[in-house]
């Protein structure tokens, strides 16, 4: 680990003021940042501890939604009565990840910004465009079994590893940001960027931007939500493919659909194609299969991960089936 300056902020304004440049990092739960620093993948000049900021509450919004403070712990969100009642997909997603100990530390904002698990990104002995722009991508001709098949580029095929973020995408969450030029709100669908020729840029955040929270819109009446995660083992493992859905039906018709996929995209992958293929159509296996095929139509698999095309489709079909058959 490289030497760095350690600062503790007590107000959001102070945290933003301390954030001098792109080589500064905020410290929340530390479960990702500290790992990256120990591996010399992240070498910040300054680390600003933000744990004293008043950003850990989970509160109803005036419009009937729910606001998750940036520092709300993953465990607190997953077990919150309003989340269990109104946004079960988020609780299921968070509880499918990591371990109880990690979820007690990990925060909503830290989870949004966790880095890829691509093995070459985490090993400084290998070229990696995301870690060192212009150095090359070791994964394209290397070990890429767990990497992305949607949103990839010739420069990077890293998958976004988060479960929480897939559920937040299906829920159409809004990210609240406070930066040097004021406050702004960004829909999660516009928060992440695909790698293109600049894989080191993962979000629209600028230096000094502090995430202050995430808002969930009001829950829709009679809409079921499900998170399904497929992985190599049942615990302590990242998704090979996952699906977060919200589904509303009237009689045998699908009236409302939101679909996001995990494990297969370079960002949490909202599938408007699947939503189009579901809304207005009959609740039946043929509809689900067609929607899943549409969701993966643009997939671009690599040497070791072509199996994900079929796996992700099966995952989505199963999630849709669960949403329409369980009590
Ligand atoms: C062994 C292990 C297994 C795991 N398994 C899973 C899994 O199955 N599924 C899954 O989804 N995740 C998994 N994780 C990842 C875990 O969820 C993340 O490490 C965690 O969510 C990160 O949150 P944190 O608060 O600790 O972030 P930190 O490590 O504190 O920060 C992460 C990044 O976010 C930035 N940041 C934090 N807060 C803010 C803010 N308010 N504003 C701006 N920037 C901020 C930091 O500067 C840093 O760059 C696993 C982690 C480990 C170690
Ligand atoms: S896939 Fe992305 S993160 Fe992995 S080695 Fe290539 S450039 Fe680096």
């Amino acid at each position: 680990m490289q030497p760095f300056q350690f600062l503790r902020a007590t107000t959001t304004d102070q945290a933003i003021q301390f954030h001098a440049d792109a080589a500064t990092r905020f410290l929340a739960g530390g479960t990702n940042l500290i790992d990256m620093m120990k591996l010399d993948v992240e070498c910040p000049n300054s680390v600003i501890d933000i744990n004293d900021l008043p950003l850990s509450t989970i509160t109803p919004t005036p419009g009937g939604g729910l606001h998750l403070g940036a520092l709300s712990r993953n465990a607190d969100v997953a077990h919150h009565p309003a989340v269990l009642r109104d946004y079960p997909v988020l609780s299921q997603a968070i509880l499918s990840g990591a371990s109880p100990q990690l979820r007690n530390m990990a925060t909503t904002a830290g989870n949004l910004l966790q880095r890829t698990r691509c093995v070459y990104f985490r090993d400084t002995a290998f070229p990696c465009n995301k870690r060192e722009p212009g150095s090359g991508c070791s994964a394209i001709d290397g070990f890429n079994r767990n990497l992305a098949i949607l949103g990839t580029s010739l420069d990077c095929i890293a998958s976004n590893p988060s479960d929480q973020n897939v559920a937040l995408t299906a829920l159409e969450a809004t990210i609240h940001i406070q930066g040097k030029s004021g406050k702004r709100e960004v829909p999660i669908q516009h928060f992440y960027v695909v790698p293109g020729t600049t894989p080191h840029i993962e979000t629209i955040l600028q230096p000094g931007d502090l995430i202050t929270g995430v808002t969930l819109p009001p829950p829709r009446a009679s809409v079921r939500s499900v998170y399904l995660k497929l992985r190599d083992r049942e615990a302590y493992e990242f998704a090979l493919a996952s699906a977060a859905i919200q589904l509303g039906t009237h009689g045998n018709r699908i009236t409302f659909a939101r679909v996001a996929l995990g494990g297969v995209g370079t960002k949490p992958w909202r599938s408007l194609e699947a939503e189009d293929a579901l809304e207005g159509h009959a609740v039946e296996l043929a509809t689900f299969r067609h929607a899943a095929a549409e969701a993966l139509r643009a997939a671009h698999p690599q040497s070791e991960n072509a199996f994900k095309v079929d796996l992700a489709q099966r995952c989505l079909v199963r999630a849709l089936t669960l949403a329409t058959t369980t009590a």
Side-chain angles (χ1 to χ4, degrees):
M1 193 186 290
Q2 310 286 321
F4 60 92
Q5 180 186 30
F6 185 78
L7 299 161
R8 175 168 285 141
T10 52
T11 65
T12 51
D13 286 345
Q14 191 181 43
I16 293 161
Q17 185 195 335
F18 282 163
H19 202 296
D21 53 32
T24 304
R25 291 287 178 274
F26 293 124
L27 175 70
T31 62
N32 192 238
L33 179 64
I34 302 298
D35 268 5
M36 296 292 103
M37 289 172 67
K38 286 194 278 195
L39 294 168
D40 284 335
V41 171
E42 293 260 25
C43 305
N45 295 333
S46 301
V47 172
I48 305 165
D49 185 348
I50 57 172
N51 282 282
D52 289 340
L53 305 187
L55 298 175
S56 52
T57 54
I58 301 170
T59 44
T61 64
L66 194 67
H67 183 78
L68 314 174
L71 289 168
S72 53
R73 304 288 155 176
N74 284 179
D76 293 336
V77 174
H79 295 294
H80 193 280
V83 174
L84 289 166
R85 183 186 64 232
D86 297 331
Y87 311 98
V89 64
L90 179 58
S91 180
Q92 291 164 16
I94 291 173
L95 294 177
S96 76
S99 64
Q101 293 85 350
L102 282 160
R103 295 193 294 265
N104 283 338
M105 288 301 293
T107 62
T108 297
N111 200 326
L112 282 172
L113 296 175
Q114 64 170 292
R115 311 298 303 276
T116 183
R117 310 304 285 197
C118 173
V119 290
Y120 305 106
F121 175 71
R122 295 167 64 87
D123 188 337
T124 57
F126 290 90
C128 167
N129 287 325
K130 188 183 280 296
R131 182 169 26 79
E132 200 180 326
S135 62
C137 173
S138 302
I140 285 182
D141 294 320
F143 178 73
N144 52 46
R145 179 176 179 275
N146 60 341
L147 299 186
I149 54 176
L150 289 165
T152 58
S153 73
L154 292 175
D155 287 335
C156 183
I157 57 170
S159 47
N160 184 294
S162 170
D163 295 297
Q164 168 198 274
N165 302 343
V166 185
L168 291 178
T169 300
L171 290 169
E172 299 181 284
T174 299
I175 317 290
H176 296 253
I177 300 163
Q178 191 173 336
K180 295 196 188 288
S181 51
K183 296 180 181 177
R184 62 197 200 277
E185 297 174 5
V186 179
I188 193 166
Q189 211 193 330
H190 304 306
F191 180 73
Y192 296 98
V193 295
V194 291
T197 55
T198 54
H200 58 293
I201 300 172
E202 298 176 354
T203 69
I204 51 83
L205 289 180
Q206 298 294 320
D209 278 348
L210 175 77
I211 296 174
T212 55
V214 173
T215 300
L216 307 176
R220 288 172 177 263
S222 310
V223 165
R224 308 281 300 275
S225 72
V226 169
Y227 186 72
L228 182 65
K229 175 176 179 178
L230 305 181
R231 48 192 155 167
D232 282 328
R233 56 182 181 189
E234 254 311 296
Y236 219 47
E237 188 57 276
F238 291 85
L240 287 168
S242 70
I245 57 159
Q246 290 199 82
L247 205 69
T249 56
H250 184 72
N252 194 38
R253 289 278 138 195
I254 298 167
T255 52
F256 175 80
R258 292 292 179 268
V259 174
L261 301 175
V264 289
T266 50
K267 60 180 192 171
W269 199 259
R270 170 101 179 256
S271 178
L272 299 176
E273 298 82 0
E275 293 169 11
D276 278 350
L278 290 166
E279 285 183 351
H281 295 271
V283 179
E284 60 188 17
L285 190 56
T287 303
F288 300 165
R289 285 186 172 150
H290 176 61
E294 288 301 306
L296 274 298
R297 191 168 297 286
H300 185 75
Q302 306 296 328
S303 55
E304 295 182 339
N305 65 7
F307 75 97
K308 282 193 175 190
V309 178
D310 188 45
L311 191 73
Q313 290 187 55
R314 286 169 184 263
C315 185
L316 179 52
V317 169
R318 181 72 183 144
L320 292 164
T321 306
L322 287 171
T324 47
T325 53
T326 50

